[in-house]
Amino acid sequence: MTRTTADGPQDDIRVAVSTVIFSLRHDGGELPSVVLPLVRRTRDPHAGQWALPGGWLDESENLEAAASRTLAETTALAPSYLEQLYVFGDVGRSPSRVVSIVYWALVREDVASTPLPEDENVAWFDAADLPELAFDHRSIIEYALWRLRNKVGYSRIAHGLLPDLFTLAELREVYEAIGGKRLDPANFRRQVEGSGTLIPTREFRTGSHRPARLYRYNHDVELADRGPLPR
């Protein structure tokens, strides 16, 4: 990108695309953990620190294509949900002038459990216990978490963390993990079943407990039309 100074045009503004990609992990705690992959930088600036997966925008590709490409190259992950988050371009965020177009994405737990590329510089981290991060990436992650927590109550965003068919208990766990608190099962069931956004199927999840009915989302109905779910 070219900017004009007193000395004439200068090509010194670069555009990067990064992605905050969230998933859930059952690690024995009271609630599932919200986790995300990070990449350790191997060169300056901030060599050795962890950062969001990303890369430079190629002049021949669209933004979403760049986000998908950089995710595949760094983590080999293909998200089930991808949305542009914000543009970060403060002058002091990098030693060189870099504008970052940041996406946020979701992957289902079964996808997140598959091994990452055999590279010690790529790893999953609990969003509540992050290492020292490069640039302004901690602030970016905090903003993405805020956006996730606010959006989960009035959209089908939780679907990005669930399989196509799921139980109400599994759906409730997603809301609990994102919100960081337990929800009353009976109240949650009453609200989601009354929202018109779920369709009960004839299939059941069987296991050590009594069979639980499987549901799928009704894609013809938006939560925003029926009011927010429990928060």
Side-chain angles (χ1 to χ4, degrees), residues 63-125:
L63 293 176
E64 189 167 314
S68 297
R69 173 184 59 80
T70 55
L71 268 183
E73 290 174 350
T74 55
T75 67
L77 292 168
S80 52
Y81 178 89
L82 182 68
E83 179 186 350
Q84 189 173 135
L85 176 67
Y86 199 71
V87 176
F88 296 84
D90 287 352
V91 173
R93 64 185 303 268
S94 175
S96 59
R97 189 71 170 96
V98 176
V99 173
S100 288
I101 300 168
V102 179
Y103 280 76
W104 64 299
L106 303 175
V107 296
R108 299 181 176 105
E109 189 171 358
D110 59 331
V111 175
S113 64
T114 59
L116 291 170
E118 294 184 4
D119 185 342
E120 62 181 9
N121 294 318
V122 182
W124 286 93
F125 290 87

Side-chain angles (χ1 to χ4, degrees), residues 3-230:
R3 65 171 178 160
T4 301
T5 69
D7 298 321
Q10 296 184 2
D11 296 323
D12 58 358
I13 301 179
R14 303 194 69 182
V15 178
V17 177
S18 299
T19 305
V20 186
I21 185 163
F22 294 124
S23 188
L24 298 183
R25 176 176 294 167
H26 287 75
D27 50 13
E30 183 179 356
L31 296 173
S33 300
V34 178
V35 295
L36 68 158
L38 297 173
V39 179
R40 197 198 323 258
R41 291 184 57 81
T42 58
R43 60 182 181 274
D44 286 326
H46 302 291
Q49 292 185 358
W50 294 90
L52 292 169
W56 300 114
L57 175 67
D58 189 283
E59 62 181 13
S60 64
E61 64 184 344
N62 294 326
L63 293 176
E64 189 167 314
S68 297
R69 173 184 59 80
T70 55
L71 268 183
E73 290 174 350
T74 55
T75 67
L77 292 168
S80 52
Y81 178 89
L82 182 68
E83 179 186 350
Q84 189 173 135
L85 176 67
Y86 199 71
V87 176
F88 296 84
D90 287 352
V91 173
R93 64 185 303 268
S94 175
S96 59
R97 189 71 170 96
V98 176
V99 173
S100 288
I101 300 168
V102 179
Y103 280 76
W104 64 299
L106 303 175
V107 296
R108 299 181 176 105
E109 189 171 358
D110 59 331
V111 175
S113 64
T114 59
L116 291 170
E118 294 184 4
D119 185 342
E120 62 181 9
N121 294 318
V122 182
W124 286 93
F125 290 87
D126 190 321
D129 187 22
L130 295 173
E132 186 175 359
L133 299 179
F135 307 109
D136 55 354
H137 288 191
R138 180 178 294 273
S139 296
I140 292 174
I141 292 170
E142 290 173 352
Y143 181 74
L145 281 167
W146 175 85
R147 180 78 169 270
L148 176 64
R149 288 166 181 155
N150 278 273
K151 191 164 185 175
V152 73
Y154 65 85
S155 73
R156 290 197 302 267
I157 192 72
H159 190 209
L161 296 167
L162 290 165
D164 291 335
L165 299 181
F166 49 86
T167 67
L168 290 184
E170 291 167 342
L171 177 62
R172 189 181 73 251
E173 272 196 334
V174 171
Y175 281 85
E176 291 175 335
I178 293 173
K181 63 180 181 180
R182 288 290 189 185
L183 298 173
D184 178 71
N187 185 51
F188 183 84
R189 171 183 289 273
R190 182 168 59 253
Q191 292 198 45
V192 296
E193 288 186 336
S195 70
T197 59
L198 300 183
I199 297 176
T201 73
R202 296 183 179 182
E203 299 182 53
F204 291 82
R205 176 100 68 227
T206 58
S208 58
H209 302 287
R210 69 178 186 178
R213 184 179 296 277
L214 292 173
Y215 291 75
R216 62 180 176 86
Y217 271 104
N218 180 357
H219 293 284
D220 295 329
V221 176
E222 287 289 345
L223 286 179
D225 299 329
R226 299 300 181 93
L229 289 178

